[in-house]
């Protein structure tokens, strides 16, 4: 059912519709004329502020000549666009969420990622990421996508990124020693960027929410913040105000036990020496 939204599904559906329209070389006003509606309504759909009906999406896609599997994929997205939170289980759903996460990272103002056991994705080197991906058929593609995501840290007007990394992630021998040393060295170099802050959650600390697992909190210039949580073959975007606020409070709690940025980089340098 159509309605107002701005939830993660609606925002990503709008972004996908806009991308398809631009790829077809059709302007908003031209499309509005074809559909017999006001151009403001199309802008609301594409911004995720209003959810189009499945019939609206079908007409939209037909007007810009989208057919086949892409037509079916976007229509499926429209059917579930009204759900406030977005949970997926299984590889196909996670793949779509990964595409959504990459888009949210591109438009985010700030990104805070908690990684108690693994280096956060935006800070991973190719060899480290490949050690995680293993020999799966899609490994090379997924590694390339992960490396491409790092552009949000170095582009013009980059996102402000805070990484809260567990000491266990620095020491866990996920890869060969030379790969681990290169990964940790990459952390030191990336921390030199003015928009990047890296802090370590030391191993000898009291309980804190960072021990429960990884998560990412993203904020945006004109939209509500969202949280992304991923675990093995499941992934979720969380949008509900109370739930999102709980993750902000969790980050505040984690900051109470983390080392300062300077202390954190010193510890990383120490671990590099131990690793090599």
């Amino acid at each position: 059912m159509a309605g107002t939204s701005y939830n993660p599904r609606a925002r990503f559906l709008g972004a996908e519709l806009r991308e398809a329209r631009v790829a077809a070389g059709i302007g908003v006003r031209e499309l509005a004329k074809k559909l017999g509606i006001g151009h403001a309504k199309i802008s609301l759909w594409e911004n995720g502020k209003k959810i189009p009906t499945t019939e609206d999406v079908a007409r939209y896609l037909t007007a810009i000549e989208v057919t086949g599997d892409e037509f079916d994929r976007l229509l499926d997205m429209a059917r579930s666009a009204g759900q406030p939170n977005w949970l997926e289980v299984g590889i196909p759903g996670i793949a779509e969420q990964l595409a959504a996460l990459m888009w949210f990272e591109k438009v985010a103002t700030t990104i805070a990622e908690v990684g108690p056991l693994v280096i956060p994705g935006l800070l991973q080197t190719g060899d480290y990421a490949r050690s995680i991906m293993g020999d799966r058929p899609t490994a090379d593609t997924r590694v390339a996508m992960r490396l491409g995501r790092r552009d949000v840290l170095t582009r013009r007007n980059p996102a402000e990124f805070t990484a809260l990394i567990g000491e266990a992630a620095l020491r866990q021998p996920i890869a060969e020693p030379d790969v681990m040393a290169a990964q940790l060295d990459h952390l030191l170099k990336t921390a030199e960027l003015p928009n990047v802050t890296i802090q370590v959650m030391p191993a000898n600390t009291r309980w804190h929410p960072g021990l429960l697992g990884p998560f990412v909190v993203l904020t945006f210039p004109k939209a509500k913040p969202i949280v992304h949580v991923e675990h093995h073959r499941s992934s979720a975007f969380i949008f509900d105000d109370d739930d999102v606020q709980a993750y902000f409070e969790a980050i505040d709690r984690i900051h109470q036990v983390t080392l300062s940025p300077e202390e954190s980089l010193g510890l990383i340098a120490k671990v590099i020496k131990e690793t090599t």
Side-chain angles (χ1 to χ4, degrees):
M1 182 180 295
T4 57
S5 185
Y6 229 16
N7 68 54
R9 284 182 186 270
R11 283 150 68 178
F12 186 53
L13 171 63
E16 293 282 85
L17 292 175
R18 180 171 58 251
E19 184 175 325
R21 176 181 58 76
V22 172
I26 299 177
V28 172
R29 292 181 183 275
E30 180 184 353
L31 177 58
K33 186 175 181 180
K34 284 187 175 185
L35 297 178
I37 61 177
H39 67 274
K41 178 175 285 190
I42 292 178
S43 295
L44 290 173
W45 291 345
E46 293 184 350
N47 289 328
K49 293 182 178 180
K50 190 174 183 63
I51 304 174
T53 65
T54 52
E55 292 78 10
D56 289 330
V57 173
R59 292 178 61 229
Y60 182 112
L61 297 174
T62 300
I64 63 175
E65 299 183 359
V66 171
T67 60
D69 292 344
E70 185 67 0
F71 183 97
D72 293 339
R73 183 181 73 85
L74 293 173
L75 207 59
D76 282 342
M77 288 181 62
R79 292 189 181 101
S80 57
Q83 299 176 15
N85 296 322
W86 181 1
L87 171 66
E88 295 285 358
V89 178
I91 299 302
I94 292 178
E96 184 171 78
Q97 279 216 352
L98 175 59
L101 177 61
M102 293 174 66
W103 181 75
F104 285 126
E105 288 174 341
K106 287 181 181 179
V107 298
T109 303
T110 69
I111 303 171
E113 182 162 359
V114 176
L117 298 175
V118 177
I119 303 298
L122 289 176
L123 298 176
Q124 290 180 8
T125 64
D127 288 337
Y128 182 89
R130 192 167 286 104
S131 297
I132 296 173
M133 303 296 179
D135 56 359
R136 288 180 290 179
T138 59
D140 288 344
T141 300
R142 291 176 66 84
V143 169
M145 291 176 67
R146 181 157 296 185
L147 296 183
R149 289 168 55 195
R150 300 190 310 193
D151 178 63
V152 302
L153 303 181
T154 57
R155 71 190 180 201
R156 184 180 180 185
N157 298 321
E160 293 288 332
F161 181 60
T162 299
L164 303 173
I165 306 174
E167 183 177 347
L170 307 179
R171 299 184 181 279
Q172 182 72 25
I174 287 176
E176 296 297 320
D178 60 330
V179 173
M180 290 301 301
Q183 170 62 74
L184 298 181
D185 186 61
H186 178 69
L187 294 182
L188 296 180
K189 292 178 180 177
T190 307
E192 296 175 0
L193 296 173
N195 57 303
V196 174
T197 301
I198 295 176
Q199 292 183 256
V200 175
M201 300 176 277
N204 61 343
T205 186
R206 62 186 184 277
W207 186 92
H208 58 83
L211 298 174
L212 293 175
F215 63 89
V216 184
V217 178
L218 304 99
T219 67
F220 308 91
K222 298 180 180 179
K224 289 183 178 181
I226 60 174
V227 175
H228 182 252
V229 180
E230 185 175 2
H231 183 270
H232 196 41
R233 290 172 65 92
S234 61
S235 180
F237 283 112
I238 298 170
F239 179 68
D240 179 80
D241 289 343
D242 290 341
D243 292 329
V244 170
Q245 180 59 34
Y247 280 94
F248 276 110
E249 292 171 1
I251 287 179
D252 289 341
R253 291 276 303 278
I254 294 169
H255 272 299
Q256 295 174 14
V257 301
T258 55
L259 302 177
S260 70
E262 295 76 18
E263 291 171 330
S264 298
L265 298 185
L267 177 58
I268 293 171
K270 177 183 177 182
V271 177
I272 290 175
K273 293 180 179 179
E274 295 173 356
T275 302
T276 54

